[in-house]
Amino acid sequence: MDFVQVSEEEGDEPIELPAEEDGTLLLSTLQAQFPGSCGLKYRNIDTQAVRGVRSNEGRLFPPSAESGWGEDIYFCVFPKGIPNFRSSDATEIIDSAAYRPILPPVENKRKSDDNLENSTAKTKRIETRLRCTDLIVLGLAWKTTEDSLREYFETYGEVLMAQIKKDVKSGQSKGFGFVRFGSYEAQMRVLSNRHLIDGRWCEVKVPNSKGMGHQVPCKVFVGRCTEDINSDDLRDYFSKFGEVTDVFIPRPFRAFSFVTFLDPDVAQSLCGEDHIIKGVSVHVSNAAPKAEQNRSHQGQNYSYNAGNNFGMHSYHQGNHMNSGRSGHHRVTSQGGNFLSWMAQNSGHSNCNMNNSGRNKGSNNQNSSGMNKGDNSSNDQQNGCPPGNSWSNQSSGSQNSVDKSNFL
DNA sequence: GTTGAGCGTT
């Protein structure tokens, strides 16, 4: 049997992982040792470049059909370039033990956002600042305790809370629980993987009860706008207070607009204030959802995200393309992209979480592939959760942004 | 002491 030497990061002590008879390495084998990993790469000694390992249908293929994996040491790839949290530098991007990130210095940021375009620093910052939600863990073994639950998820990052729901009388586990991470990256990785906890495959999802309902909105309503206040004006002006992630001006002109901030506290702090933009006094207030107010009688579709439209007005003005802002993160209907879901539900219509456009070609491995063709280790449990367990929650159509919501 | 889709006594 061939073994593949794999380390978490380049330079780390490798672990030998058993390859299959056909020479491939199962992704599940890799993930058993490196939770959250989605692929492998290695250093090409000739070119000194890093090469990705081919991945398909839950299998990783050796670089050479003849010589197999060789003596090379491979290191892990994690989704979207997110570093592993067990690595030493992880603290740089993990917010401290807070549910919500700390306020950024509210200083003059002005137009310093220009050279941040597409920078990984910016991406990381945005991702780091996205807030975590409690996640529900379904399908837990009866024997799983809060300690073992926590212990399991700590391989993904800091665990702020881990609880098992139990019968009050007997103390017996109800077979599900909740977990909360300290960083959004950890949360994303947990949501994109399946989990073998105490011998059972468990499903982790954003709970239905917490669509986004209790979270602080990042978006403000800007009233009394005049027609000559364009999105750049709004963005430029409000960037003084914190990073602006989106500006939306309803067309045709309707004398108001929406500004979305990275930080909900910034948005909050501005509510109720009057501001002067281009000599016009505009009024900032809560971008409260309009749903249910006047139109409960109209068979409008409010089922998705009902009672909560924060962050849903995500049309971008065309001229954002050259202002360095990311484009509209469009949700496709291909089986439910959890990143899109997270993007919507975190109130950021344009989270820079999707780097797929830059990873040309080779990095096709994503978390959905690993659920196919891999029954190697789940035979103790029938009814294994489906691969895209989030799909039932992401079936809403973002294209259904409803103009009628604007008044 | 059994069970196996779901959604959180606070």
Side-chain angles (χ1 to χ4, degrees):
Chain A
M1 179 186 286
D2 200 11
F3 280 87
V4 189
Q5 299 191 72
V6 178
S7 66
E8 191 168 294
E9 279 184 275
E10 191 172 20
D12 286 359
E13 174 90 15
I15 299 174
E16 294 194 333
L17 301 181
E20 300 304 297
E21 286 184 7
D22 63 359
T24 63
L25 176 67
L26 291 178
L27 203 49
S28 55
T29 304
L30 177 69
Q31 288 166 340
Q33 298 300 324
F34 302 101
S37 59
C38 63
L40 286 176
K41 54 191 176 182
Y42 65 102
R43 182 75 63 178
N44 182 326
I45 41 172
D46 297 327
T47 64
Q48 284 304 305
V50 173
R51 277 195 182 176
V53 166
R54 187 171 123 75
S55 168
N56 191 31
E57 301 278 313
R59 288 172 184 271
L60 299 162
F61 293 83
S64 160
E66 302 86 53
S67 44
W69 295 93
E71 295 305 307
D72 293 287
I73 295 179
Y74 299 82
F75 39 105
C76 293
V77 177
F78 292 95
K80 301 165 291 300
I82 294 166
N84 195 330
F85 283 80
R86 285 171 293 173
S87 62
S88 53
D89 61 342
T91 49
E92 288 175 22
I93 61 162
I94 297 179
D95 275 330
S96 60
Y99 281 76
R100 288 246 309 279
I102 303 147
L103 266 172
V106 181
E107 55 190 81
N108 289 353
K109 293 188 64 188
R110 292 308 301 167
K111 288 209 159 186
S112 60
D113 52 328
D114 20 81
N115 48 11
L116 281 172
E117 301 180 10
N118 287 331
S119 75
T120 53
K122 180 183 177 187
T123 303
K124 273 186 188 175
R125 233 181 43 232
I126 287 177
E127 287 173 349
T128 305
R129 302 193 65 78
L130 293 172
R131 285 141 296 135
C132 299
T133 59
D134 291 353
L135 304 178
I136 190 167
V137 189
L138 271 355
L140 289 169
W142 310 119
K143 66 178 180 186
T144 295
T145 65
E146 295 187 340
D147 282 342
S148 65
L149 187 68
R150 172 182 291 268
E151 194 179 342
Y152 171 82
F153 282 115
E154 272 174 347
T155 62
Y156 284 88
E158 184 186 17
V159 174
L160 301 180
M161 178 274 291
Q163 61 175 352
I164 305 270
K165 288 300 160 193
K166 304 172 194 150
D167 181 82
V168 275
K169 292 195 73 174
S170 65
Q172 170 68 265
S173 165
K174 290 183 176 173
F176 72 98
F178 292 88
V179 63
R180 177 99 164 202
F181 289 91
S183 77
Y184 198 75
E185 289 88 343
Q187 169 165 324
M188 288 205 299
R189 278 175 40 198
V190 165
L191 283 167
S192 65
N193 277 295
R194 54 183 190 157
H195 304 277
L196 186 59
I197 308 172
D198 290 331
R200 280 190 57 91
W201 285 106
C202 300
E203 207 176 357
V204 177
K205 304 198 291 192
V206 175
N208 298 331
S209 54
K210 278 268 183 70
M212 166 81 183
H214 302 295
Q215 295 200 23
V216 188
C218 301
K219 174 174 293 194
V220 296
F221 176 92
V222 183
R224 299 199 305 254
C225 291
T226 55
E227 200 154 11
D228 71 320
I229 298 178
N230 61 35
S231 60
D232 282 339
D233 297 327
L234 289 165
R235 185 182 290 279
D236 286 350
Y237 178 81
F238 284 108
S239 292
K240 286 192 298 191
F241 305 100
E243 187 160 343
V244 172
T245 61
D246 195 32
V247 173
F248 179 77
I249 302 179
R251 301 289 180 207
F253 173 69
R254 291 165 77 189
F256 63 86
S257 53
F258 293 100
V259 175
T260 307
F261 292 91
L262 190 58
D263 194 314
D265 295 324
V266 172
Q268 197 77 358
S269 70
L270 294 170
C271 285
E273 293 182 354
D274 291 319
H275 289 262
I276 300 198
I277 304 175
K278 280 185 154 177
V280 176
S281 169
V282 300
H283 183 72
V284 181
S285 62
N286 241 319
K290 286 284 189 285
E292 309 299 340
Q293 279 182 12
N294 306 316
R295 31 193 100 253
S296 46
H297 56 284
Q298 289 189 14
Q300 295 282 358
N301 178 14
Y302 291 119
S303 59
Y304 175 63
N305 246 3
N308 150 32
N309 283 334
F310 303 138
M312 291 303 289
H313 313 297
S314 48
Y315 287 145
H316 286 240
Q317 313 301 310
N319 57 7
H320 284 177
M321 293 308 287
N322 53 20
S323 64
R325 300 292 165 178
S326 60
H328 189 162
H329 191 101
R330 193 171 293 278
V331 177
T332 67
S333 57
Q334 40 189 282
N337 176 336
F338 101 94
L339 289 177
S340 305
W341 187 93
M342 295 305 288
Q344 294 172 42
N345 286 272
S346 57
H348 297 270
S349 57
N350 60 346
C351 305
N352 297 13
M353 294 192 296
N354 193 344
N355 294 336
S356 57
R358 290 181 305 179
N359 301 342
K360 40 188 171 191
S362 62
N363 268 12
N364 269 348
Q365 72 272 56
N366 58 27
S367 52
S368 62
M370 68 191 176
N371 293 304
K372 295 190 267 187
D374 171 19
N375 294 323
S376 58
S377 50
N378 61 353
D379 44 3
Q380 74 273 49
Q381 174 181 341
N382 50 13
C384 178
N388 44 0
S389 57
W390 49 80
S391 60
N392 57 345
Q393 301 193 349
S394 57
S395 52
S397 162
Q398 180 158 352
N399 294 336
S400 68
V401 173
D402 186 348
K403 297 272 197 310
S404 65
N405 268 352
F406 296 142
L407 216 60

